Amino acid sequence: MAKPALHHLGGGTLERVLRGMQKLRDHEIFFDVITVLTSASLDYPDELFDFYIEHGITDVAFNVEEIEGPHVASSLAGSGMEPRFRRFYSRFMDLALSYDPPLRVREFEASRSSIASPEQLTTRTQECRPFGILNVDCEGNFSTYSPELLGLSSPRLGSFALGNVARDSLESVLAMPRFIALDDEIRRGVDLCKESCRYYPFCGGGPPGNKYFENGDFATTETLSCRLHRKATFDVALDKFERLKAMT
């Protein structure tokens, strides 16, 4: 089961993607694959796994369909979606771990690292830290934090584009009241997560973009993205490790 993605002209892109993958292999260039999961995807863990194996894909990652920017709704936001997501991911990981060699899944590897090294986070994660990520558009406008914020604005905080590489220095941006207010709100959101959520050592407070697009404010906590992409994947990984431990 592999449905072709659609580009802006309405046609499928799957065949072109597969040709691109083959060109990378021909030139011995490593790649991995990111799959966006929608509600329709959750019934097909076996088919997705078979597709990856058929096409020689060894490293995969799962993004969930997010409420983000102009995409104001997600098919994963409905009632009963979280249990379905957990069943999908658990089944897929059973397949991935039983394959020889095991298929690498980004979310599982992130959970594995966190479980192996459960130290409390002492600094904000890259996406929550000012200029831990630098985003630049085709006109030289730049932002930081979640890349999806670039090009958008907030009625309260103004444009998320903080300057232009041709005319603005980093020092001038760091002194801007607009940047200071943005950073303060994001920091307060991270602190709220740290105080209230037992998954904080695993995720570090969650992407600020998801908080803003789902909750309308950076100084908030749980989102659909963190319930599925963070909490559910961590719980499934922990369950797999506990079962393996019990068997040894």
Side-chain angles (χ1 to χ4, degrees), residues 12 31 134 136 141 143 145 188 200 212 247:
F31 65 91
L134 176 64
V136 184
N141 301 308
S143 69
Y145 309 113
R188 287 189 284 118
Y200 176 82
Y212 180 77
M247 294 169 59

Side-chain angles (χ1 to χ4, degrees), residues 169-232:
S169 68
L170 178 60
E171 291 77 9
S172 67
V173 169
L174 293 175
M176 288 170 47
R178 181 158 55 93
F179 167 75
I180 293 171
L182 174 62
D183 185 61
D184 177 68
E185 192 168 303
I186 289 174
R187 177 190 53 76
R188 287 189 284 118
V190 172
D191 289 344
L192 287 171
C193 288
K194 186 175 182 179
E195 294 167 3
S196 63
C197 183
R198 66 189 180 93
Y199 295 84
Y200 176 82
F202 169 52
C203 81
N210 292 113
K211 293 183 178 184
Y212 180 77
F213 293 126
E214 292 192 38
N215 303 331
D217 196 312
F218 293 107
T220 56
T221 55
E222 189 178 71
T223 64
L224 170 69
S225 175
C226 83
R227 287 196 298 275
L228 299 181
H229 197 239
R230 300 291 188 175
K231 296 181 178 182

